[in-house]
Amino acid sequence: MKFKAVKGTSDVLPAESSGWQYVESVIRRQAEKFGFREIRTPIFEETALFVKGTGDTTDIVQKEMYTFTDKGNRSITLKPEGTPPVIRAMLEHNLLKENPLAKVYYIAPMFRYERPQAGRMRQHTQFGAEIVGSPSPQADVEVISLLFHTLQELGLSGLKLRLNTLGCPKCRPQYREKLVGYLKPKLPNLCEYCNDRFLRNPLRVLDCKVDQDKFDDAPEMGQFLCTECRDHFQAVQDNLSVISIPFVLDKKLVRGLDYYTRTAFEVASRHLGAQDALGGGGRYDGLVEELGGDPTPGVGFGSGIERYLLAMKNQGVKFPEEKRTDYFIATLGNEAKIKGMEIGTQLRLKGYICEQELLDRSLKAQMREANRLNTRFVILIGEDEIKKGVVTIKDMDGHSQRVVPLNELVEKILGAAKQ
Ligand code: HAM
């Protein structure tokens, strides 16, 4: 029987992992520039955290969670998103008592039982960031800027930031009521999803990919905003303009999670197909209280690293070159292998990338391998070399070679490196 990776999951093979490492290093550098510190929460949590945090009317909680009962009879869920676990950790460890403002980021796998397609997986990896404690519109702009500038730093272009406001518990109910009145007569002509969403969360009907065109004359949240929400949304837009981040207002952007208040946003790429959202997020001023904390505002985003890589590939972004192997130690015979082991150990201690023959291939095959590894120098130890107490160093760029006494080898190399 042959095993395969489970549907909707994929392996990152050695040839791809340097691309991942590069993207992760850019993310970490960007997050640090803004003063975000990394947080790592467990891969699974109590199921109730997501039911309450993500929201029991969402597709995620209703249809997509990987939930199981553990041997202690607890209901456990692999995390489908990062925000509720981060808030849980902050509350559990009293981070907000130590300091009223917490800025964290994470790079972590998430699990959702969705229909797999390009850019949509059952296990995906998110770079997310959260600012908890600040009600300021500048906090919204800071997380948007972190996402947008990280994508730009990676060389991605054709980015589109869509922005909306979802109001707050004070002004949203009036809008919701108006929207329900507008949608109700349309229901018989709307798809199954719309009808389902209408019952769970009518705002989400606007987000339907099938019927979206039918809602052009839908009532707009903008007309129902309270003064505070209106001012907040204006300030977000003004601040984005000041730092030259272009955006479009999209009144149909409602996002798939229940906790959002006020700002909602998404960044899409022109270089992706149907699943074009590189990242999305928004403000969640009620979530901390919902999860048992004092009323505390929050704002953040999540973004899919698999989609970053796909967009970079589609756009033809060049990744930095992989590090070269400094030395390949080619050996023939047992004595040479032992000497090679000694030399390799010394060179690695000095910081060089150094590989050694492990397959007992012919010298010709070993040189081919050295070439494949884009090696800078080959240290050749054959039977002849062992007899004479020397090694041959081949310069693979200059195509020259020299013979060096074995006992002087490491000093000679270090001397050459210093020059
Ligand atoms: P989300 O929009 O559900 O938000 O996911 C964030 C991003 O994760 C998406 O924009 C997409 O790039 C990526 N993503 C989501 N599902 C998949 C999938 N099945 N396959 C590949 N990539 C995927 C959240 O998760 C919120 N926690 C974001 C947030 C943080 N809001 C406030 N703070």
Side-chain angles (χ1 to χ4, degrees):
M1 175 173 176
K2 275 201 176 144
F3 291 107
K4 283 181 136 191
V6 173
K7 184 173 177 187
T9 68
S10 66
D11 302 302
V12 176
L13 298 175
E16 298 142 2
S17 59
S18 63
W20 275 85
Q21 287 168 9
Y22 166 65
V23 169
E24 287 170 8
S25 72
V26 169
I27 287 173
R28 290 182 193 285
R29 206 167 52 236
Q30 286 295 121
E32 279 162 18
K33 280 194 210 166
F34 284 84
F36 286 79
R37 307 273 307 276
E38 189 183 9
I39 186 163
R40 300 187 190 198
T41 64
I43 261 174
F44 52 76
E45 298 272 353
E46 248 179 87
T47 302
L49 175 70
F50 300 109
V51 175
K52 211 161 169 37
T54 309
D56 55 4
T57 71
T58 58
D59 287 355
I60 292 180
V61 170
Q62 295 244 330
K63 310 177 191 162
E64 296 171 0
M65 294 203 300
Y66 280 88
T67 297
F68 60 96
T69 307
D70 75 2
K71 291 190 171 32
N73 222 17
R74 299 172 193 88
S75 180
I76 298 292
T77 293
L78 299 185
K79 69 182 162 192
E81 60 133 343
T83 312
V86 164
I87 304 299
R88 195 261 316 131
M90 284 181 180
L91 293 174
E92 184 173 341
H93 302 286
N94 289 320
L95 296 194
L96 297 163
K97 297 249 155 51
E98 283 165 24
N99 192 330
L101 183 73
K103 296 186 3 178
V104 298
Y105 79 95
Y106 45 90
I107 299 175
M110 306 288 164
F111 306 85
R112 298 183 189 180
Y113 191 79
E114 293 190 271
R115 204 164 38 78
Q117 62 181 85
R120 190 163 69 191
M121 329 259 308
R122 291 186 173 167
Q123 175 179 339
H124 70 279
T125 315
Q126 278 193 23
F127 160 41
E130 317 286 350
I131 300 183
V132 181
S134 171
S136 165
Q138 290 190 327
D140 306 33
V141 174
E142 189 163 303
V143 292
I144 294 173
S145 164
L146 171 58
L147 174 60
F148 198 82
H149 287 127
T150 300
L151 297 170
Q152 279 190 332
E153 187 75 12
L154 286 167
L156 285 165
S157 59
L159 302 175
K160 188 168 177 181
L161 168 63
R162 298 190 292 138
L163 197 64
N164 194 18
T165 178
L166 301 173
C168 68
K170 212 165 89 185
C171 54
R172 198 188 305 168
Q174 288 84 288
Y175 170 61
R176 193 186 150 109
E177 201 180 309
K178 190 86 182 164
L179 187 67
V180 166
Y182 164 86
L183 289 173
K184 218 168 194 168
K186 289 180 178 285
L187 286 178
N189 298 321
L190 298 180
C191 73
E192 188 190 328
Y193 280 116
C194 284
N195 276 275
D196 178 38
R197 285 173 171 181
F198 179 79
L199 296 176
R200 288 193 271 134
N201 179 358
L203 257 70
R204 291 233 55 218
V205 176
L206 298 180
D207 202 26
C208 176
K209 299 280 179 285
V210 184
D211 285 328
Q212 209 174 44
D213 295 345
K214 298 182 183 161
F215 309 126
D216 286 340
D217 58 346
E220 290 177 27
M221 183 70 230
Q223 290 157 2
F224 293 82
L225 291 176
C226 60
T227 317
E228 293 84 351
C229 284
R230 190 182 306 278
D231 291 350
H232 186 96
F233 195 41
Q234 192 55 51
V236 170
Q237 295 174 57
D238 293 347
N239 277 278
L240 283 172
S241 300
V242 166
I243 59 170
S244 306
I245 294 186
F247 60 88
V248 291
L249 296 182
D250 180 352
K251 58 183 188 192
K252 288 185 195 158
L253 177 71
V254 290
R255 308 270 304 129
L257 302 129
D258 275 358
Y259 47 63
Y260 291 117
T261 51
R262 296 191 170 166
T263 315
F265 63 89
E266 246 168 47
V267 178
S269 163
R270 201 161 33 80
H271 301 283
L272 290 175
Q275 302 302 319
D276 66 350
L278 286 165
R283 184 161 273 287
Y284 46 84
D285 290 345
L287 182 60
V288 177
E289 197 178 3
E290 185 72 30
L291 295 180
D294 295 334
T296 312
V299 61
F301 70 81
S303 59
I305 300 184
E306 286 83 1
R307 293 190 190 175
Y308 287 25
L309 288 157
L310 204 60
M312 287 166 82
K313 188 169 154 229
N314 293 348
Q315 199 192 307
V317 172
K318 288 248 177 311
F319 288 88
E321 293 219 348
E322 288 201 36
K323 279 201 182 128
R324 297 181 75 171
T325 299
D326 295 313
Y327 291 95
F328 184 88
I329 305 178
T331 53
L332 268 190
N334 214 23
E335 219 177 307
K337 277 197 270 184
I338 293 169
K339 263 288 158 239
M341 182 72 76
E342 216 182 316
I343 294 166
T345 303
Q346 288 186 51
L347 289 175
R348 281 182 215 110
L349 277 172
K350 300 291 179 197
Y352 291 105
I353 299 176
C354 188
E355 290 207 46
Q356 192 170 349
E357 170 63 3
L358 294 175
L359 287 178
D360 288 335
R361 284 172 284 200
S362 69
L363 271 185
K364 206 166 153 197
Q366 292 187 48
M367 290 307 286
R368 265 204 305 274
E369 176 65 1
N371 253 325
R372 194 185 66 81
L373 293 168
N374 192 21
T375 306
R376 181 71 185 90
F377 297 101
V378 171
I379 296 175
L380 198 150
I381 321 175
E383 278 151 1
D384 233 28
E385 276 84 2
I386 287 288
K387 258 190 237 144
K388 293 183 185 148
V390 296
V391 302
T392 304
I393 303 181
K394 286 180 178 286
D395 180 336
M396 302 293 276
D397 288 352
H399 304 291
S400 59
Q401 65 178 53
R402 63 193 172 126
V403 175
V404 176
L406 243 177
N407 53 1
E408 291 172 25
L409 175 67
V410 176
E411 284 71 29
K412 279 256 157 61
I413 287 174
L414 293 179
K418 266 190 216 131
Q419 277 164 21

